[in-house]
C-alpha cells in the first residue's frame, strides 16, 4: 500500500492556514502545522480534525522566525510522519502599526521580515536539504500577497517581505527543478481573517467601489482550495508560477 502523503503548513491554526490544513486533510494528506500558540490551546482542534478526516494531524509550537524553533519543527514532523512530501509557507504577520514609510521603525521591519521572509526562506532551505539528501520530495507553496507588487506606503515592510517571497519562489523553483520539485507562490488579495479584521470597513468600501472584479471579500477557503489543487499535482508541468487568488484585483483598468 502506498504511504499517505505528508505536508507541513506553517501558521495552520487559524485564518488562511487553517483553511489550507482543512482542504489538504480533505484531499487525503496527513498534516502537521505550527504556530506560536502553546499546544494545549490547539489540542481540541487537532483532535477534532483528526477524528473528522481520519488522517494524522500534528501541531508543533514553533516560531518560524527563530532558527532553533525551525530546526525542532522539521525534526519533530519528520519523527512523527517518517517523511515529508510538501511544505506550505503560510505563517505571516502584518505590521503591528501601519506607519508611513518615513516613520517605519527598524524594529517593525525586522519583525515582519524575520517572520514573513527569513523564516520561510530558511525553512524551505532546510526542507530542500532534506529532500536533496535523499528524503522523498516534494513541492513547496509559498503564500505571498498582492502586496508584492501593489505599493502600500503605510506598511512598506510588509510589501518588501512579500516582494521577497516572489523572488524566493523563483529561486527555489530554479534550484529544485533538477530534483523534480515544483515551487509555487499563491498570491491572495483581500481575504477575511484576523489579519484584515481591523480594516474591514475600509475594504468593504473599496470592494463596493470596484477594487476587485469579483465584488466580494476573499475567504480563507479560496486560498485553501488553490493550495490543495497545486499540491494534488494538477499543475504538474508548471513551476515558479504565481497563482493569483484576488478576485481580479491586480488587473489594471482604464
Ligand atoms: P492571520 O493573522 O489570520 O493568521 C496568521 C497565522 O500565522 C496564525 O496561524 C499565526 O499563528 C501564524 N504565525 C504568525 N507569525 C508566526 C510565527 N512567527 N511563527 C509561526 N506562526 C506564525 O493571517 P492570515 O491567515 O490572513 O494570513 C496568512 C498568510 O496569508 C500570511 O502570510 C499573510 O501575509 C498572507 N496574506 C493574507 C492576506 C489577507 O488579506 N488576510 C492577503 C495576502 C496574503 P498563531 O495563531 O500561533 O499566532
Amino acid at each position: 500500500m502506498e504511504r499517505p502523503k505528508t505536508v507541513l503548513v506553517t501558521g495552520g491554526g487559524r485564518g488562511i492556514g487553517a483553511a489550507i490544513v482543512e482542504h489538504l486533510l480533505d484531499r487525503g494528506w496527513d498534516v502537521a502545522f505550527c504556530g506560536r500558540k502553546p499546544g494545549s490551546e490547539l489540542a481540541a482542534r487537532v483532535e477534532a480534525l483528526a477524528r473528522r478526516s481520519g488522517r494524522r494531524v500534528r501541531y508543533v509550537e514553533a516560531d518560524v522566525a527563530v532558527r532553533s524553533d525551525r530546526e525542532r519543527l522539521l525534526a519533530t514532523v519528520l519523527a512523527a510522519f517518517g517523511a515529508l512530501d510538501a511544505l506550505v509557507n503560510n505563517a505571516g504577520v502584518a505590521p503591528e502599526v501601519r506607519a508611513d514609510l518615513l516613520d517605519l521603525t527598524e524594529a517593525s521591519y525586522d519583525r515582519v521580515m524575520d517572520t514573513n521572509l527569513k523564516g520561510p526562506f530558511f525553512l524551505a532551505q532546510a526542507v530542500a536539504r532534506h529532500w536533496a539528501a535523499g528524503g522523498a520530495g516534494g513541492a513547496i507553496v509559498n503564500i505571498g500577497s498582492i502586496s508584492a507588487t501593489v505599493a502600500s506606503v503605510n506598511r512598506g515592510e510588509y510589501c518588501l517581505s512579500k516582494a521577497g517571497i516572489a523572488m524566493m519562489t523563483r529561486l527555489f523553483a530554479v534550484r529544485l527543478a533538477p530534483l523534480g520539485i515544483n515551487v509555487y507562490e499563491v498570491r491572495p488579495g483581500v481575504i477575511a481573517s484576523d489579519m484584515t479584521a481591523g480594516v474591514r470597513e475600509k475594504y468593504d468600501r473599496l470592494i463596493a467601489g470596484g477594487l476587485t472584479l469579483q465584488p466580494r471579500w476573499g475567504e480563507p477557503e479560496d486560498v485553501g482550495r488553490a493550495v490543495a489543487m497545486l499540491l494534488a499535482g494538477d499543475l504538474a508541468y508548471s513551476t515558479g508560477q504565481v497563482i493569483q487568488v484576488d478576485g481580479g484585483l491586480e488587473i489594471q483598468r482604464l
Side-chain angles (χ1 to χ4, degrees):
M1 203 177 85
E2 217 179 296
R3 73 170 172 80
K5 294 273 189 192
T6 60
V7 58
L8 168 60
V9 180
T10 65
R14 58 194 168 95
I16 290 171
I20 294 170
V21 167
E22 286 173 27
H23 279 272
L24 289 171
L25 287 170
D26 287 348
R27 296 261 193 139
W29 290 75
D30 287 350
V31 179
F33 64 98
C34 77
R36 297 164 298 183
K37 293 199 177 90
S40 53
E41 279 188 37
L42 273 297
R45 176 168 168 76
V46 167
E47 204 193 311
L49 287 171
R51 201 174 335 106
R52 201 200 67 197
S53 65
R55 318 272 5 142
R56 290 183 294 176
V57 184
R58 297 282 185 283
Y59 174 77
V60 183
E61 179 186 345
D63 183 333
V64 297
V66 177
R67 181 169 54 169
S68 55
D69 278 23
R70 289 191 302 269
E71 288 168 354
R72 182 175 45 78
L73 170 63
L74 184 54
T76 306
V77 173
L78 286 171
F81 287 167
L84 185 63
D85 298 296
L87 168 67
V88 181
N89 270 316
N90 161 78
V93 289
E96 276 168 346
V97 178
R98 289 188 168 214
D100 178 73
L101 205 61
L102 306 193
D103 301 318
L104 198 165
T105 64
E106 245 182 272
S108 181
Y109 180 98
D110 287 345
R111 172 179 169 270
V112 170
M113 293 295 269
D114 284 0
T115 303
N116 293 8
L117 185 58
K118 189 182 85 174
F121 178 86
F122 285 104
L123 189 56
Q125 185 196 59
V127 171
R129 282 178 175 164
H130 169 72
W131 287 335
I140 298 176
V141 177
N142 299 313
I143 306 302
S145 168
I146 51 157
S147 296
T149 60
V150 178
S152 299
V153 290
N154 63 352
R155 48 193 181 103
E157 65 277 63
Y158 184 81
C159 296
L160 286 168
S161 71
K162 294 301 184 177
I165 285 289
M167 177 49 78
M168 177 187 144
T169 299
R170 298 169 75 93
L171 288 167
F172 276 104
V174 173
R175 179 61 184 83
L176 299 182
L179 301 180
I181 293 162
N182 288 345
V183 185
Y184 305 99
E185 177 190 340
V186 168
R187 189 174 287 182
V190 181
I191 310 292
S193 74
D194 292 346
M195 188 177 276
T196 47
V199 284
R200 183 96 211 176
E201 283 173 17
K202 172 187 166 180
Y203 285 116
D204 279 347
R205 267 197 315 277
L206 289 172
I207 290 168
L211 176 73
T212 49
L213 299 182
Q214 297 169 7
R216 68 166 175 88
W217 279 74
E219 296 297 332
E221 289 66 32
D222 292 311
V223 184
R225 262 194 302 276
V227 173
M229 178 268 290
L230 288 169
L231 290 189
D234 290 355
L235 289 187
Y237 191 53
S238 306
T239 189
Q241 297 302 305
V242 179
I243 309 298
Q244 305 269 155
V245 183
D246 65 356
L249 183 152
E250 255 199 347
I251 297 178
Q252 287 192 342
R253 285 159 278 168
L254 280 174

